Amino acid sequence: MTTTSQQNLAPSEQAQGFLSRDEHHLFIDGEKVPATSGKTMTTLNPSTGEVLARLAAGDQSDVDRAVLAARKAFKGQWSTWTPYERQALLMRVAQVLDERFEELVHIEAMDMGAPVSRLRNTKATLMKMLSFFASQAMSITGETLMNGLPGDVTTMTLKAPVGVVGGIIPWNGPLNGQFWIVGAVLASGCTAVLKPASEASLSVLRVAEILHEAGVPAGVINVVTGSGKEAGHALAAHPDVDRIAFTGSTQTGRSIIQASTANIKKLQLELGGKSADIVCADADLEKAVPGAAMGVFANSGQICFAGTRVLVQRSIVDEFTERLLAYMETLRVGRSLDAATTLGPVISQSQLDTVLSYIDIGQNEGAELLCGGQRLEGELGSGYFMQPSVFGGVTNEMRIAREEIFGPVLSIMPFDDVDEAIAIANDSEYGLGGAVWSQSLSTALRVVQGVHTGTMWVNCYGYIDPLVGFSGTKLSGYGYKGTAAHMDTYLYTKSVYMQL
Ligand code: NAD
C-alpha cells in the first residue's frame, strides 16, 4: 500500500456552490425548508475530519409534513401521468444527471469519502438503472385469467402503485443507492420520503433538487435528514407510509420490522453480510487475486456484499497469499478528491474505531496479521484512514470470520475440498453474496448450487445489473432488487371478478 500525494484538493465550482450553503434544509413538497424544531446537525469530511456542512435535524413533525406532501402528490396530478409520461420523465432525469454527474461525484466524495475514481466509474451503472426503470414504467401489466365460475364471469388482475414509500438509506453509497428507490417510485407512480444516513445525506438532498428541476412534481420525492432514532424511526412507524425500502444493518432492520407492524407495511430489507469468496486450486490467480482483493477493499470495505471471508484451497494458500500481499502494494490510500486514490477513508471516527478493534480481536483470537492493521498518521492523520489489512490462518469460529466488520479487512481461510468450502461458506447467519474462482465449470456450478446466499459470482466479483438483480437471504434480508420483481414490491395486485 502507498499513500497518494496530499496537495490541497478543491471540489468543482458547482459542488463548492452547493457545499457553501450555511445550512442544508429538508426538501419537502418541492421546497427547501428548515426543521420545525430549528435543530441542526453537522456532517464531516472523512478525508480531513473537518466539518463539511450543517444539515437540518428532522424529527417526527418533519416526517409528518413530508408524508403529508407525499400523500397529497400521490393522490394529485401525478396519479394521472401515463406510462409514456413517466418513462419520458425518467429519460429526462437520466440526461440531466449525466450532465450534472461530476458535481454529484464531488459532493459524494467529500461527504462519504469514496474516491472520485470509483465514483466516476459508477456513472455507467446509474445510467443503466435509469434506463431500466424507464423501461419498467412501460411494462407494468396485470393478467386476464381463466376461471371455473358459473356464467360469464371475466377475471383479471390489475397492478396499482402501493402509495407512499419510506426510503431509509445507508451512508456507504447513497448517490447511486437511492436510485433503487427513486427509479422504482417514478416508474410505478408511487411517491417517497427519503431518510438518508446522517453521516452522508448531501448527495440525496442535491439529487432531490435536481430531480425537481428536471420535472419531478413537487411532493413526489421528499427528503428528511436527521438521525435514525428520530427521523428514521418516525418514518418506519408512520401510519400513512405504505412501504419501506431499507438498506442498512441487520440490527436496524429488526427495529424497522417492529416499527412497521402497526399498519403492516410492505418491506424490502437489504441488510448485512459476511460473504465467502472461494478460490479453488485450479483458479486463474492472475484474475482471482485482484478480484478477491477488490471484492473486499473496494469502497474501503464498506460494501454489504464484500467477500471478506476468502476461502483458499490449502494447496495454493502460500502462492495466493504471496500474490495477494504483492497486490496490496499497488493500492493507493488517500483523500477522496485525489484522482490517484484507489482507497479512501472509512466514514467516521467511530467506524474507524470499530474496524481497528477487530484488528485486535483477530490477533487475540490467534489469526496472523499479514499486513496493515494501523491507522494512518502524518498528512492523512486528521482523516479516518487505515491501512488495508489481511489476516492469515483464520478459522470460521473466530469473530473476524463471523461478524460484519464493514472496513478494509480480508481474512484468508484455508480449505481442503469443495464440500468443506461450501460448508464453511454456509456456516454464517448471513446470506448476501459469494463467489467461486475455478476453471472447472462443474466445480463452479457445484459451489453456486451449494452456497445458501442471495447472489453468487463465478470468476468475477461484485457485478450488479438491474436486468439481473440481486437479493439476500437469512439475516441479509429479503426483497429482490432489479428485474420486474423489484417493481412488483412497489405495486399491489388487485383481483377483479366481472359479471358481464
Ligand atoms: P444503519 O443500519 O446504522 O443505518 C442505515 C439507515 O438506517 C440510516 O439512514 C440510519 O439513520 C437509519 N436508522 C438507524 N436506526 C434506525 C431506526 N431505529 N429506525 C429507522 N431508521 C434507522 O447502517 P449503516 O451503518 O448506515 O450502513 C452499514 C450497514 O448497512 C452494514 O451492515 C451493511 O452491510 C448494510 N448495507 C447493506 C446493503 C445491502 O444491500 N444489503 C447495502 C449497503 C449497506
Side-chain angles (χ1 to χ4, degrees):
M1 179 218 90
T2 54
T3 56
T4 57
S5 65
Q6 295 307 316
Q7 72 272 29
N8 241 345
L9 302 160
S12 70
E13 218 173 283
Q14 292 90 339
Q16 190 57 59
F18 173 74
L19 292 168
S20 66
R21 292 182 190 171
D22 288 342
E23 184 190 328
H24 293 269
H25 288 155
L26 313 173
F27 193 77
I28 298 178
D29 211 7
E31 306 276 349
K32 299 192 269 293
V33 290
T36 314
S37 68
K39 285 190 189 153
T40 60
M41 59 189 191
T42 51
T43 184
L44 307 181
N45 177 343
S47 291
T48 61
E50 289 163 0
V51 172
L52 179 65
R54 182 170 294 281
L55 299 130
D59 61 16
Q60 174 81 54
S61 55
D62 301 302
V63 169
D64 288 346
R65 274 198 291 170
V67 172
L68 200 63
R71 179 62 61 192
K72 192 179 75 180
F74 179 68
K75 289 183 184 161
Q77 181 67 19
W78 177 237
S79 66
T80 68
W81 281 44
T82 66
Y84 292 98
E85 289 168 323
R86 288 203 302 272
Q87 184 186 56
L89 177 63
L90 274 153
M91 286 159 67
R92 200 155 59 245
V93 163
Q95 190 189 340
V96 173
L97 289 174
D98 189 13
E99 288 158 14
R100 305 281 288 272
F101 198 69
E102 189 65 8
E103 173 190 346
L104 293 167
V105 161
H106 283 217
I107 292 169
E108 181 89 331
M110 293 185 77
D111 201 17
M112 60 73 65
V116 287
S117 58
R118 171 180 167 79
L119 292 167
R120 285 184 183 129
N121 283 338
T122 64
K123 184 175 180 183
T125 309
L126 175 59
M127 292 302 131
K128 274 189 216 155
M129 283 168 81
L130 291 166
S131 183
F132 165 77
F133 285 116
S135 76
Q136 292 300 307
M138 300 285 275
S139 310
I140 297 169
T141 54
E143 289 178 298
T144 51
L145 299 156
M146 295 204 294
N147 63 66
L149 298 167
D152 54 354
V153 176
T154 298
T155 44
M156 66 175 86
T157 56
L158 299 178
K159 298 275 183 183
V162 286
V164 176
V165 175
I168 304 180
I169 301 169
W171 44 255
N172 66 336
L175 173 52
N176 269 20
Q178 64 184 306
F179 283 94
W180 289 111
I181 306 166
V182 170
V185 162
L186 298 183
S188 63
C190 291
T191 58
V193 177
L194 305 180
K195 208 303 283 174
S198 43
E199 296 87 346
S201 300
L202 293 174
S203 65
V204 179
L205 282 171
R206 189 59 172 151
V207 162
E209 293 174 13
I210 293 174
L211 292 175
H212 189 53
E213 284 165 33
V216 174
V220 171
I221 301 290
N222 307 276
V223 183
V224 176
T225 49
S227 75
K229 280 207 175 79
E230 288 204 47
H233 175 76
L235 195 54
H238 203 288
D240 205 26
V241 170
D242 301 288
R243 181 195 193 290
I244 292 286
F246 170 72
T247 300
S249 63
T250 298
Q251 200 186 343
T252 307
R254 283 201 184 93
S255 311
I256 286 174
I257 292 170
Q258 279 160 3
S260 71
T261 55
N263 70 329
I264 319 284
K265 290 180 181 68
K266 281 186 143 200
L267 300 178
Q268 181 188 38
L269 304 172
E270 297 288 336
L271 309 176
K274 195 73 196 174
S275 303
D277 194 351
I278 299 170
V279 185
C280 299
D282 68 344
D284 176 354
L285 292 185
E286 285 292 315
K287 293 183 179 138
V289 169
M294 291 319 285
V296 180
F297 297 119
N299 215 31
S300 298
Q302 305 166 116
I303 295 187
C304 50
F305 51 68
T308 47
R309 293 185 295 154
V310 180
L311 278 51
V312 184
Q313 200 147 17
R314 204 173 299 276
S315 59
I316 58 158
V317 167
D318 288 346
E319 185 187 357
F320 179 88
T321 305
E322 197 178 306
R323 285 181 181 236
L324 175 65
L325 294 179
Y327 181 79
M328 299 298 288
E329 293 299 316
T330 68
L331 298 176
R332 302 193 67 183
V333 178
R335 290 190 178 146
S336 56
L337 287 183
D338 188 330
T341 294
T342 48
L343 297 193
V346 297
I347 185 77
S348 63
Q349 180 67 53
S350 96
Q351 187 66 14
L352 183 62
D353 292 343
T354 303
V355 180
L356 290 173
S357 77
Y358 277 103
I359 300 291
D360 292 339
I361 290 168
Q363 286 176 300
N364 292 336
E365 285 177 315
E368 187 187 357
L369 184 65
L370 299 174
C371 75
Q374 299 288 322
R375 179 178 190 158
L376 289 173
E377 302 293 348
E379 284 179 309
L380 294 178
S382 61
Y384 312 124
F385 293 94
M386 67 174 281
Q387 298 165 328
S389 313
V390 176
F391 275 115
V394 178
T395 66
N396 209 40
E397 291 69 44
M398 294 178 181
R399 282 182 61 194
I400 55 169
R402 306 202 77 79
E403 297 171 16
E404 188 177 43
I405 299 175
F406 224 56
V409 183
L410 180 156
S411 292
I412 299 176
M413 305 170 62
F415 69 89
D416 288 307
D417 60 39
V418 168
D419 287 337
E420 187 192 359
I422 293 171
I424 296 172
N426 286 338
D427 181 16
S428 168
E429 55 188 4
Y430 295 110
L432 194 56
V436 52
W437 300 82
S438 168
Q439 299 195 56
S440 154
L441 188 55
S442 56
T443 302
L445 261 182
R446 205 162 123 216
V447 175
V448 164
Q449 287 167 349
V451 177
H452 188 183
T453 188
T455 306
M456 283 296 286
W457 291 280
V458 176
N459 294 328
C460 58
Y461 204 96
Y463 285 143
I464 296 286
D465 189 313
L467 288 172
V468 184
F470 71 104
S471 173
T473 182
K474 303 202 273 184
L475 291 195
S476 298
Y478 50 80
Y480 207 77
K481 274 179 163 166
T483 75
H486 182 111
M487 288 302 297
D488 241 10
T489 68
Y490 286 75
L491 303 164
Y492 69 93
T493 306
K494 192 180 294 181
S495 335
V496 183
Y497 295 77
M498 274 195 301
Q499 179 83 64
L500 299 174

